[in-house]
Amino acid sequence: MAGGAIVSTGAPKDYPAKLTFFVLFASVVAATGGLIVGYDIGISGGVTSMDSFLSKFFPSVYRKEKENQSTNQYCKFDSQVLQMFTSSLYLAALIASFFASSVTRMFGRKWSMFGGGITFLVGAALNGFAQDVLMLILGRILLGIGVGFAGQSVPIYLSEMAPARMRGMLNIGFQFMITIGILAANLINYGTSEIKGGWGWRISLGLAAVPASIITVGSLFLPDTPNSLIERGHADEATRMLRRIRGTHDVHEEYNDLVAASEVAKLVKHPWRNILKRKYRPQLIMTILIPFFQQLTGINVIMFYAPVLFKTIGFGGNASLMSAVIVGLVNVFATIVSIVTVDKLGRRKLFLQGGSQMLACQIIVGTLIAIKFGTSGEANPSKTYAAFVVFFICVYVAGFAWSWGPLASLVPSEIFPLEIRSAGQSINVSVNMLFTFIIAQAFLTMLCHMKFGLFYFFGGWVLIMTTFVAIFFPETKNVPIEEMILVWKAHWFWGRFIADEEIHIGGRIEMANGILKAGSK
């Protein structure tokens, strides 16, 4: 098996695991950064299904949609400009995440969150008052910068604040807030679509200012993490903060490990160059492949374009928005399952179970659409038939929401040593945004040309990524992030990339051959 537990005296230490109210409060506030990510994902697909929005900004798409319903259902929303409205945000987020890395490292995690919130706030105002496509896309770019900063800093903050045994639960708070943002956006879209006069989409886009204000104001009250304080030379403050967040004065061992990690980090002048070193190969590959695979689950196809997709399979305008609300509810409750189980079952089991569930649903949904629409795209499915499609989409979303959704943020944020943590998280966000951009930009065109085969396409990728996890991903639950290197050294494949003398824990050099053993396989 790919990853066994470490059971010798060289195993990661068990630091105090008490969850203090202070840590819980800080984690909840920080996690609200996920609201801006989720709100945007939910809102963009909804407004692009509103007739008033399409007729004002994308009249050619509007005319195509209103043509005879016997035309090809697969292709009626195919528009590069419409796709650019959605995907431009993620291209901006990709670039912004690299700048966020420097801000996060030099000024602390909280100020990176603050900067992201302010930028998102301005973007929301531009979108709400947009008069033309250029203004819309400029607003989306500013929203993207905000998403890039939040996506880079929030998961790191949560992983560094949390006790090791509760890191998964608290980190997934970010993904939970994303799902809350998506659901809120779906509900708002459903309500604003009923507004007479055709200006409801302005409320939908403009209300993005609410989650932006929450993280902007909230970040001002957040404490910095001990890791960040030590990294920036505030040793005494770091000691006080560590005692406060752990709820005990017995933090000597953990503090020493943080200092040792910081000393190593200070030797690294060029983290972007160092991250390419052989000893970081396991983490680098994971932080590239996990977000890459996440986007190829096909989830953003569902979340971005859920109302459009449901229209395509036979739902009317309001019915398609309500279907998106149902999907949003499933997303929220399934994420709670992950919060409750991730530190008990571990990351691997959730990855594998969720992947299997998504694969089965992709095959079923693709087949149901193939039976009714075939390759011509001409059909008028009954409400019962369309409800079957929605049901299996919901089962698919549930599988994603307790596996690849939260874990794709959690795992990369917890596996890097301090000296390259900000750079590693930036790579994670950048890869995620790059492929989110590609999928968002290409989906409607892919649907037009690949038809129902698109679901089989994503299903094939789910099979590949689930197999990859089964073979190459070690379990990382309950391991202090400063000692994660022990997990990689113990792994049957990744261990060959890490020399014994490169394992620095608490100021000591642990000779891995003497103290590490792979546990049950």
Side-chain angles (χ1 to χ4, degrees):
M1 199 145 188
I6 301 173
V7 295
S8 70
T9 58
K13 303 178 188 69
D14 187 13
Y15 298 135
K18 180 181 178 182
L19 177 61
T20 63
F21 176 79
F22 184 66
V23 168
L24 182 61
F25 172 77
S27 297
V28 170
V29 173
T32 58
L35 289 174
I36 64 176
V37 181
Y39 189 86
D40 178 78
I41 290 173
I43 216 71
S44 57
V47 296
T48 54
S49 73
M50 295 182 187
D51 289 346
S52 57
F53 179 83
L54 289 176
S55 62
K56 179 175 180 62
F57 295 106
F58 307 100
S60 62
V61 178
Y62 177 73
R63 286 193 299 270
K64 187 186 294 187
E65 182 196 354
K66 295 304 178 184
E67 288 175 358
N68 190 320
Q69 292 299 303
S70 66
T71 59
N72 190 336
Q73 295 287 314
Y74 292 122
C75 297
K76 67 180 184 177
F77 287 98
D78 183 18
S79 166
Q80 287 299 312
V81 179
L82 178 60
Q83 291 172 128
M84 180 57 74
F85 164 73
T86 298
S87 62
S88 57
L89 179 149
Y90 299 95
L91 189 59
L94 185 160
I95 298 170
S97 65
F98 288 103
F99 294 97
S101 171
S102 298
V103 174
T104 300
R105 191 178 191 194
M106 291 189 293
F107 300 103
R109 288 54 168 146
K110 63 178 289 181
W111 293 114
S112 188
M113 296 181 217
F114 177 79
I118 286 289
T119 312
F120 198 92
L121 192 59
V122 176
L126 275 177
N127 272 182
F129 292 103
Q131 298 300 317
D132 52 40
V133 173
L134 180 62
M135 198 171 173
L136 264 184
I137 296 206
L138 180 59
R140 294 286 293 172
I141 290 171
L142 291 174
L143 294 176
I145 294 172
V147 168
F149 271 76
Q152 200 277 341
S153 55
V154 173
I156 289 179
Y157 184 91
L158 294 172
S159 287
E160 290 181 346
M161 289 291 284
R165 293 186 177 277
M166 302 174 191
R167 187 175 60 244
M169 176 186 74
L170 294 179
N171 191 289
I172 290 175
F174 180 63
Q175 180 67 24
F176 180 67
M177 289 295 180
I178 290 177
T179 66
I180 293 292
I182 293 172
L183 177 60
N186 289 336
L187 289 169
I188 288 168
N189 278 334
Y190 185 74
T192 58
S193 67
E194 301 292 325
I195 295 176
K196 295 180 179 180
W199 50 272
W201 59 268
R202 291 194 183 275
I203 295 178
S204 293
L205 294 178
L207 281 178
V210 174
S213 299
I214 292 173
I215 185 58
T216 301
V217 175
S219 63
L220 295 176
F221 296 93
L222 288 177
D224 253 324
T225 68
N227 311 65
S228 179
L229 291 168
I230 292 172
E231 186 178 30
R232 292 182 287 122
H234 305 295
D236 291 340
E237 190 177 347
T239 303
R240 290 193 295 270
M241 183 57 62
L242 191 58
R243 287 172 176 166
R244 189 174 184 187
I245 67 176
R246 298 295 179 248
T248 177
H249 282 265
D250 183 21
V251 296
H252 182 73
E253 191 172 24
E254 183 174 4
Y255 178 78
N256 285 344
D257 284 351
L258 294 180
V259 170
S262 179
E263 292 301 318
V264 173
K266 289 177 182 177
L267 300 176
V268 177
K269 302 300 181 183
H270 305 286
W272 291 102
R273 186 186 305 163
N274 277 63
I275 204 170
L276 299 176
K277 288 184 175 180
R278 179 180 173 86
K279 64 179 178 179
Y280 301 130
R281 197 70 47 78
Q283 298 98 316
L284 180 61
I285 290 175
M286 286 294 168
T287 207
I288 291 173
L289 288 184
I290 286 177
F292 167 74
F293 284 147
Q294 186 198 46
Q295 296 313 309
L296 287 170
T297 59
I299 187 62
N300 280 337
V301 168
I302 303 297
M303 293 306 177
F304 286 151
Y305 298 110
V308 173
L309 182 63
F310 291 137
K311 267 191 176 182
T312 299
I313 60 176
F315 285 79
N318 287 345
S320 71
L321 289 171
M322 178 51 69
S323 299
V325 170
I326 294 170
V327 169
L329 282 169
V330 171
N331 198 21
V332 169
F333 286 109
T335 302
I336 295 175
V337 173
S338 187
I339 291 174
V340 173
T341 60
V342 67
D343 290 317
K344 297 176 182 177
L345 297 178
R347 286 60 161 154
R348 278 175 53 80
K349 286 183 180 179
L350 289 179
F351 266 136
L352 296 174
Q353 190 284 327
S356 301
Q357 184 169 318
M358 287 189 292
L359 174 60
C361 290
Q362 290 281 30
I363 294 171
I364 293 171
V365 170
T367 302
L368 287 173
I369 293 178
I371 292 171
K372 184 59 66 174
F373 288 93
T375 56
S376 68
E378 297 181 11
N380 187 22
S382 67
K383 290 184 178 180
T384 301
Y385 198 91
F388 267 111
V389 177
V390 171
F391 172 77
F392 285 107
I393 285 177
C394 287
V395 176
Y396 160 82
V397 169
F400 175 87
W402 60 54
S403 63
W404 281 90
L407 296 181
S409 296
L410 166 60
V411 170
S413 73
E414 69 181 0
I415 61 177
F416 279 100
L418 182 63
E419 62 265 25
I420 55 170
R421 189 171 298 150
S422 292
Q425 184 64 11
S426 288
I427 291 174
N428 173 49
V429 174
S430 297
V431 173
N432 188 299
M433 294 304 160
L434 173 62
F435 285 95
T436 302
F437 168 78
I438 292 172
I439 295 298
Q441 187 64 24
F443 164 65
L444 294 177
T445 302
M446 292 171 70
L447 180 63
C448 179
H449 290 87
M450 297 177 69
K451 303 175 173 57
F452 61 83
L454 182 62
F455 294 91
Y456 298 145
F457 169 80
F458 287 122
W461 280 106
V462 172
L463 177 61
I464 291 171
M465 67 184 70
T466 304
T467 303
F468 174 83
V469 167
I471 297 173
F472 293 108
F473 181 70
E475 183 54 67
T476 58
K477 71 172 182 177
N478 300 337
V479 181
I481 56 178
E482 306 307 331
E483 301 193 7
M484 198 65 69
I485 191 172
L486 299 177
V487 174
W488 300 106
K489 181 60 181 175
H491 190 271
W492 70 270
F493 179 77
W494 301 119
R496 71 188 68 182
F497 292 94
I498 305 168
D500 296 347
E501 61 271 15
E502 291 175 325
I503 303 177
H504 300 265
I505 305 292
R508 307 181 311 278
I509 299 178
E510 307 281 11
M511 299 305 294
N513 284 341
I515 65 170
L516 288 177
K517 296 179 181 178
S520 58
K521 296 186 178 182

PDB file of all heavy atoms in Angstrom, residues 205 273 275:
ATOM      1  N   LEU A 205     -24.492  40.520  -8.905  1.00  0.00           N
ATOM      2  CA  LEU A 205     -23.065  40.819  -9.028  1.00  0.00           C
ATOM      3  C   LEU A 205     -22.596  41.772  -7.932  1.00  0.00           C
ATOM      4  O   LEU A 205     -21.515  41.608  -7.364  1.00  0.00           O
ATOM      5  CB  LEU A 205     -22.778  41.420 -10.409  1.00  0.00           C
ATOM      6  CG  LEU A 205     -22.993  40.488 -11.606  1.00  0.00           C
ATOM      7  CD1 LEU A 205     -22.718  41.226 -12.909  1.00  0.00           C
ATOM      8  CD2 LEU A 205     -22.100  39.252 -11.518  1.00  0.00           C
ATOM      9  N   ARG A 273      13.461  29.058  -6.457  1.00  0.00           N
ATOM     10  CA  ARG A 273      14.514  28.214  -7.003  1.00  0.00           C
ATOM     11  C   ARG A 273      14.677  26.950  -6.160  1.00  0.00           C
ATOM     12  O   ARG A 273      14.853  25.850  -6.676  1.00  0.00           O
ATOM     13  CB  ARG A 273      15.823  28.998  -7.043  1.00  0.00           C
ATOM     14  CG  ARG A 273      16.972  28.272  -7.740  1.00  0.00           C
ATOM     15  CD  ARG A 273      18.263  29.074  -7.594  1.00  0.00           C
ATOM     16  NE  ARG A 273      18.105  30.449  -8.085  1.00  0.00           N
ATOM     17  CZ  ARG A 273      18.940  31.431  -7.787  1.00  0.00           C
ATOM     18  NH1 ARG A 273      19.990  31.212  -6.992  1.00  0.00           N
ATOM     19  NH2 ARG A 273      18.746  32.642  -8.273  1.00  0.00           N
ATOM     20  N   ILE A 275      12.520  25.353  -4.414  1.00  0.00           N
ATOM     21  CA  ILE A 275      11.414  24.406  -4.484  1.00  0.00           C
ATOM     22  C   ILE A 275      11.626  23.353  -5.572  1.00  0.00           C
ATOM     23  O   ILE A 275      10.991  22.303  -5.575  1.00  0.00           O
ATOM     24  CB  ILE A 275      10.076  25.156  -4.694  1.00  0.00           C
ATOM     25  CG1 ILE A 275       8.911  24.305  -4.189  1.00  0.00           C
ATOM     26  CG2 ILE A 275       9.867  25.535  -6.163  1.00  0.00           C
ATOM     27  CD1 ILE A 275       7.592  25.053  -4.142  1.00  0.00           C
TER      28      ILE A 275
END
